[in-house]
Amino acid sequence: MSEIGQRAVGTEEDDATGVAEQSFTVPTDLDVDLLPMYLTESRELLDGAEGSLLALEDDPTNADAVRDLFRCFHSLKGNSAYFGLTPIATLAHDAEDLLSGVRDGRRRFDTRCAGLSLACVDTLRAFLESLEGVTPGDTLTCPAGTAGLLRALAQEADPDASPLNEAKTELPTNVGVAAGSAPDPEPEEAPVGKDPAGGEAARNRIVPSVRVPTPRLDRLLEILEELVISQAMVNQNEAVRSRKHPALTRQLSHISKIVRELHDLGMTIRTVPLGRLFQSTRRLARDLAHKCGKKVRVECLGEETEIDRSMVDALGDPLMHLVRNCLDHGLETPADRRAAHKDEFGTLRLSARSSGGKVIITLSDDGRGLNREAILRKALQRGLVDAASVPSDQEVFNLIFEPGFSTSAVVTDISGRGVGMDVVRSTVESLGGRVTLHSEPGRGTSFDLVLPLTLALTEGMLVRVEDRRYVIPTADIVTCVNPSPEDLVDGAGNRAATLNVQGTQMPLLWLSELFALGPGVEEPIVLVLRDLDRRFALVVDDLIGQHQLVTKPLGEVVGRVRGIAGGAILPDGAVGLIIDVQALLSIPRGGATESVPTAA
Amino acid sequence: MTAVVARTSSDIEKFLTAYVGEEAYGIGVECIRQIIRTLPVTPIPSTPSYVLGVANVRGKVTPIVSLRAKLGLPEAEPGRWSCIVVVETSRGLTGIQVERVSEVVSLETDRIQAFPELHTTFDRAMVRGALHRDDGLFLVLDIDELLRTNR
């Protein structure tokens, strides 16, 4: 994710004269205890500025965006001046000047203006980066390109703009991060311990909030999980189940309700809205489009959808790669698009929605779609496909995820990590999710990233096969039937491959067979399970009972096991394996092959 | 987390002595979180033989591996003294089943020599070095490498 911030967009501002960058000294009276807070808040200000800039690019008349933008640079200038970080304050001031021209109607927010402003954001981010862990009195070099940027900004400045010297004395002296009187609180959060509503009645979208160190939050959530499990164990206790003590049962039921509510609240603490991730992706798309000479409009939907904060970082690279892929290969040049009677501007849509215990992120374009022949040819070349086979369109498209398919070591701005489609898939899978794709020639391609909401309390049915216990998520169970033994064998006396359940013929699977467990009992129970719109029947020995459980991944050392979604602590303290219903159908008969541990 | 720290030659490191059969192996104490006698382990289908399964360690679903299997030695009954050494690495918590543990030894880093054997039943990267002691060879394990998931 940090890659995006580090890349200065405005390459047209590169300092071609080779002038060395200035250096600056970190003030000797810098309060290092306050520095982290300054850095965090400044980064948030810059994120806000970037968002407003992108919005302005789409709609140069957006007055709100200009105001927000101004506020961001102004606050950053003030805070930086307070700490004596002059170069930062100066750059922020120059950016303010540039934008004041837009705000006052003296100039349009054109491409040059956008490029310069975004270059300011990038350079300021680089400044902040260089301040990490610094000691008062240190001498640092300004980030590459600063001198060129300052010159370019000076060139753009209105003739009657105040000279730099004057500007310095104008800087407010009572603005400070810790002074508790920042006149322009950032869009997201107010400093700790101050009245956030003071003087900002108009900004009614600011919700008072506090900063909590993440480890403390994580610990809180861990304890919450233990509480959920303990409470489940209490409910399992004979004395409770026997219902001999109505008052006790009632009181425990009340506790259950409270715990449930606490859990739901905990889930909201764990999650963050996808908006931040989308913004970075949007920024990347814009930059890449400029580089490849393509025109793209980015639409974002469902930015308020929340996912577990631990996943946000991991998703950065895969999304970046998908965007790059879309702009390099998916979208046609404006000329080609015109020839195909399409809008010159291609559309890249990023959307997110939650459904059940999952979040689905979709990235789609209206470009040329995947080229079946080209993919098949490359796959044959790399021996990924048998020359004699005739795969379906979907099977061909899915080949792009095979390791060995991606072109090796493509030198890209994503810094030669050799990120390919296979890494996109393996990253999503390591988060417990999956990637699917759809494509139509001439119409476009879309990728769906389906991710689990961790810390979700899954309702599961505990089943038994031999001496092993497994959990099947209740949401995936349609019904349960008790067939007679004859229904389970075919004419030749072998295990039947299908079963007729209430009039529908559906595939029949034995859990004991899938996990190589043994023969199973004479009179088993059959569960009818669903995976999207597919139905199938699963044979188990016995049903034990329903439980609420917290799903956990099995750990990198174990890796991904086909058919197992994760583990959960059962009420008796043992670990139960949770079945991944969607994957059961893809396990070959006779058992799955060995698990593939996730990357070392 | 086993931090990689620049060590001077006079550094002392501490290792827990763990036995598989008669052979002694050293596990750096800085990565050890707990030692548990026995634990119900839930086996997982279709996993490599060294993965014994997962278990509930202090409320966490924790993978348990067998040191014996990782060393490529033939299977054997666990024995009365077998226990699980729970370590923490960049991969999270993992339990390593060993047959017996005994004292913690302090060793000077420069006494740990390169492991001489060329032909082993296991991946040589798992052993950081070796030491000759009165009762035989003491192999110092590299836990990160041990838990690395290669073939």
Side-chain angles (χ1 to χ4, degrees), chain A residues 222 468 470 515 552-558 561 564 567-569 573-577 592-600, chain B residues 40 42-51 53-63 65 90-91 94 147-149 151:
Chain A
E222 253 173 64
R468 307 280 176 87
Y470 297 93
F515 293 148
K552 295 300 186 105
L554 293 175
E556 276 184 53
V557 171
V558 173
V561 182
I564 305 283
I569 311 279
V575 176
L577 298 179
T593 47
E594 268 195 7
S595 71
V596 179
T598 44
Chain B
T42 304
I44 308 177
S46 323
T47 46
S49 59
Y50 57 81
V51 176
V54 281
N56 175 355
V57 175
R58 288 223 197 119
K60 290 186 158 58
V61 174
T62 309
V65 301
S90 54
R91 296 182 187 81
T94 312
L147 297 178
R148 186 174 290 272
T149 49
R151 292 287 147 216

Side-chain angles (χ1 to χ4, degrees), chain A residues 47-362:
Chain A
D47 284 344
E50 189 183 56
S52 297
L53 282 167
L54 292 173
L56 258 183
E57 259 199 318
D58 278 347
D59 173 16
T61 63
N62 186 338
D64 280 338
V66 180
R67 259 200 303 276
D68 283 346
L69 202 45
F70 224 79
R71 217 187 303 261
C72 291
F73 281 120
H74 186 80
S75 296
L76 184 60
K77 176 182 78 175
N79 292 350
S80 309
Y82 176 80
F83 281 93
L85 297 165
T86 315
I88 300 182
T90 307
L91 184 53
H93 177 87
D94 287 352
E96 250 192 314
D97 265 354
L98 177 71
L99 294 162
S100 70
V102 177
R103 184 193 55 185
D104 299 343
R106 278 170 287 149
R107 65 165 300 157
R108 279 191 351 103
F109 189 78
D110 54 13
T111 319
R112 176 149 178 83
C113 194
L116 280 176
S117 310
L118 286 168
C120 285
V121 170
D122 286 339
T123 310
L124 286 165
R125 278 189 178 136
F127 265 110
L128 294 178
E129 198 69 33
S130 69
L131 283 173
E132 284 284 1
V134 81
T135 321
D138 275 358
T139 305
L140 301 173
T141 317
C142 294
T146 306
L149 182 56
L150 287 171
R151 259 209 312 282
L153 283 168
Q155 273 173 2
E156 293 288 323
D158 300 312
D160 53 351
S162 43
L164 283 169
N165 289 337
E166 260 187 52
K168 262 197 222 168
T169 58
E170 268 175 37
L171 295 176
T173 50
N174 64 339
V175 180
V177 168
S181 60
D184 300 307
E186 315 86 23
E188 300 293 331
E189 296 184 321
V192 177
K194 85 172 270 297
D195 172 19
E200 286 294 333
R203 299 285 241 96
N204 53 11
R205 60 189 172 98
I206 296 180
V207 175
S209 57
V210 298
R211 291 191 197 282
V212 179
T214 317
R216 199 179 287 182
L217 261 183
D218 286 342
R219 182 70 194 124
L220 180 65
L221 293 167
E222 253 173 64
I223 296 178
L224 191 50
E225 270 176 42
E226 284 179 46
L227 179 61
V228 168
I229 295 170
S230 298
Q231 192 244 329
M233 283 168 83
V234 165
N235 282 343
Q236 289 290 308
N237 190 296
E238 266 313 303
V240 175
R241 293 172 66 164
S242 68
R243 297 178 186 277
K244 287 206 201 110
H245 310 277
L248 178 65
T249 311
R250 218 175 27 248
Q251 286 156 355
L252 281 174
S253 156
H254 186 60
I255 291 188
S256 297
K257 223 166 73 83
I258 298 176
V259 170
R260 176 107 217 180
E261 225 182 289
L262 205 49
H263 166 265
D264 287 347
L265 190 60
M267 278 215 41
T268 64
I269 295 177
R270 232 357 246 242
T271 57
V272 292
L274 277 167
R276 168 82 70 85
L277 189 60
F278 278 8
Q279 182 171 308
S280 310
T281 313
R282 193 192 188 117
R283 171 73 195 271
L284 175 72
R286 176 212 174 270
D287 293 348
L288 284 178
H290 276 239
K291 281 218 170 76
C292 334
K294 296 187 182 167
K295 297 193 177 168
V296 72
R297 220 174 262 123
V298 181
E299 279 175 17
C300 290
L301 293 166
E303 288 160 290
E304 66 288 347
T305 311
E306 310 223 339
I307 58 167
D308 196 292
R309 79 178 61 233
S310 61
M311 289 191 188
V312 174
D313 289 333
L315 286 175
D317 280 349
L319 276 181
M320 265 165 57
H321 188 77
L322 288 175
V323 166
R324 176 158 206 104
N325 197 67
C326 159
L327 283 162
D328 275 349
H329 308 299
L331 285 182
E332 314 93 324
T333 58
D336 284 344
R337 285 184 71 89
R338 274 195 302 271
H341 304 294
K342 285 182 177 179
D343 187 336
E344 231 186 19
F345 276 83
T347 303
L348 177 64
R349 180 178 297 132
L350 266 175
S351 66
R353 69 184 200 281
S354 59
S355 139
K358 304 223 183 280
V359 169
I360 304 160
I361 301 177
T362 308

